[in-house]
Amino acid sequence: MSVKSIPKLFIPLSLTVFGLSFSSHSKASLLTQNTPKPRPQEIVQSGEVRPLPGKLDNIPVFNSNSPEWIKNEGILLSTFPGKGKKTPTAHLNFPFQGRFDLFAHHYTHTPKDLQTLYIGVMLHNPNKQAVTVNIPQAASYLMTEAPFVTLAPYIDNNDGKTFSGPGARAVADVLRGVRQKDFPSKLVIPPGQSRMLLNHPIPVRNLEKPVNGRSSFMRMKSSGKVYIASMAMFAKKTPTSGNKLPVSPKGDRAPTLKEWQTLLDTGSFAGPRDKIPTPPDATGGQLIYGRVAGVSEGSQWISNITDNAAAKNLTIPNPGKAISYPLVTLRGGRLGTEQKQTAKMLVRYGDTAYEAHGNYCVEYNLVMPLINSTKQTQTVSVTLETPLKEDKLSQGGIKFRKPSLDFPFFRGTVRVRYTNDAGKEVTRYVHLWHRTGQVLEPLIKLTMPGNSRRNVQLNVIYPPDSTPPQVVTVRTME
């Protein structure tokens, strides 16, 4: 996983601009230079950290995220059989059938002659009868369509118009049940033939900085076995007979199905390759998670959060206390729970991630049947927040910091459903933009009379370009 921060603009001020001489202010300058910055305040949250109930389902996910930055065209991820292919090791021989998801997330940076890079996703039907692939939700965005921007911690996003990155925008669309008009509701593939699901550009020409990327996320269901490949190819400049694909004013055009097929049959890995990940059995050295290229297992984590497996409710904590449930825990970041939620890889390339560490595009469906078992009215809050990353809790609780570290570790839209204090059922979509260790206001607050119950449901499709772990915290106010 990478951490992308929003750089600050730093403009040094010259004393001469203000007509000041160094000698007349040297003492003040030295005092300023020698005054230490105040140490950040570390805050340990009082309360419990519990493992998240539930588990990942077994839905396979076509997970194409390596190499993240593409310079050389080639195969990004192929689940085709390797037989008859020039580079057999580039093909993982994994057919999909029934429900599956597809995630592809790649960038291009200063390509030669500012060529447009295309991302292609091909589906192949190896059967003797036609296969229908239904596509209920699908979205694909360029970084230029959803730039990385600094936003407020909370913005109501019921209209879907707030976003802070292409991956965050794509998963927010799917969370809302959207299928972009670029994608059909179903794709019928004749026996033994292939069809392009995605043949989309990543243009850099005419940009201030020639950097762009594309994030795509889809949920699908196939009536029969299909093989899938994602590939990268630069735009073609030569016309083709009867070509109906769009041609830019520069003469660039999208690759044809035949050209994609040739790349699949005769091509090798796209490059450059990402950093080699740290093996799971390593006991020392730097921990490198690596980028994912393979099929991961798990599309959704359904969690009914109660006091224990036999209970029907989640008892709110004592006043001033909190209960936190981590999301997307991983090696080196389990927050004291000893729970690793990372999706395992069913098949993968040998130089890519051993697990789907970020659980990108995995949906967390969390139901919290809250109960106030006291006789007094209590104010209860629910917050999705990003504590400082730890594997074991060094001070007995999760830690935050004032000021927070200047990295956006979570940026994306969540859905929350609950009964408000007026007894009305509410559904809200809220865009979150949170820094590491940031102390936040609650996502929602509820006033619960004594011996009352209140249901809260939180849905989070984990957004690409976020960095785990996060926690869902239930807190009772003092």
Side-chain angles (χ1 to χ4, degrees), residues 105-148:
H105 182 79
H106 302 279
Y107 292 88
T108 182
H109 187 304
T110 323
K112 182 182 178 182
D113 299 327
L114 299 184
Q115 293 171 285
T116 296
L117 183 73
Y118 274 80
I119 300 294
V121 173
M122 177 191 291
L123 272 61
H124 176 72
N125 174 13
N127 306 283
K128 294 182 179 179
Q129 59 279 338
V131 165
T132 299
V133 180
N134 290 298
I135 311 167
Q137 293 102 31
S140 182
Y141 286 103
L142 292 166
M143 186 174 70
T144 49
E145 296 172 316
F148 297 110

Side-chain angles (χ1 to χ4, degrees), residues 135-139 173-174 177-186:
I135 311 167
Q137 293 102 31
D173 273 12
V174 171
V178 170
R179 184 185 64 254
Q180 283 181 338
K181 62 182 181 180
D182 284 6
F183 302 100
S185 61
K186 64 181 179 181

Side-chain angles (χ1 to χ4, degrees), residues 175-326:
L175 181 65
R176 294 165 58 85
V178 170
R179 184 185 64 254
Q180 283 181 338
K181 62 182 181 180
D182 284 6
F183 302 100
S185 61
K186 64 181 179 181
L187 193 63
V188 179
I189 309 174
Q193 294 190 29
S194 299
R195 292 290 184 268
M196 297 304 296
L197 175 65
L198 188 77
N199 193 4
H200 284 39
I202 308 179
V204 295
R205 198 178 299 277
N206 299 323
L207 299 181
E208 183 179 348
K209 293 182 179 180
V211 180
N212 206 351
R214 178 174 291 279
S215 289
S216 306
F217 179 44
M218 307 168 199
R219 287 177 170 168
M220 293 181 280
K221 186 175 183 179
S222 175
S223 65
K225 290 183 179 179
V226 291
Y227 294 106
I228 308 176
S230 62
M231 295 167 280
M233 190 188 304
F234 288 107
K236 302 299 180 182
K237 295 187 179 296
T238 55
T240 61
S241 176
N243 179 41
K244 296 181 180 180
L245 296 171
V247 177
S248 77
K250 295 287 184 180
D252 291 350
R253 64 164 175 82
T256 64
L257 173 61
K258 184 177 180 181
E259 287 164 338
W260 285 117
Q261 185 68 56
T262 299
L263 177 60
L264 183 73
D265 292 340
T266 65
S268 186
F269 294 98
R273 307 304 292 169
D274 286 315
K275 289 183 178 180
I276 302 294
T278 303
D281 56 357
T283 57
Q286 184 184 6
L287 175 55
I288 299 173
Y289 291 106
R291 288 276 166 184
V292 178
V295 179
S296 54
E297 184 178 50
S299 166
Q300 190 175 53
W301 185 301
I302 298 176
S303 183
N304 189 38
I305 301 177
T306 57
D307 292 334
N308 53 61
K312 294 183 179 179
N313 299 296
L314 176 62
T315 304
I316 63 173
N318 293 328
K321 301 291 184 180
I323 306 171
S324 295
Y325 296 88

Side-chain angles (χ1 to χ4, degrees), residues 88-102:
T89 54
H91 307 276
L92 297 174
N93 193 17
F94 185 97
F96 292 83
Q97 185 170 3
R99 264 283 292 120
F100 64 93
D101 289 354
L102 184 147

Side-chain angles (χ1 to χ4, degrees), residues 315-319 371-379 447-453 476:
T315 304
I316 63 173
N318 293 328
I371 182 170
N372 175 12
S373 56
T374 72
K375 295 180 181 181
Q376 289 76 38
T377 296
Q378 306 285 2
T379 300
T447 301
M448 296 184 64
N451 298 309
S452 67
R453 291 175 172 82
T476 302

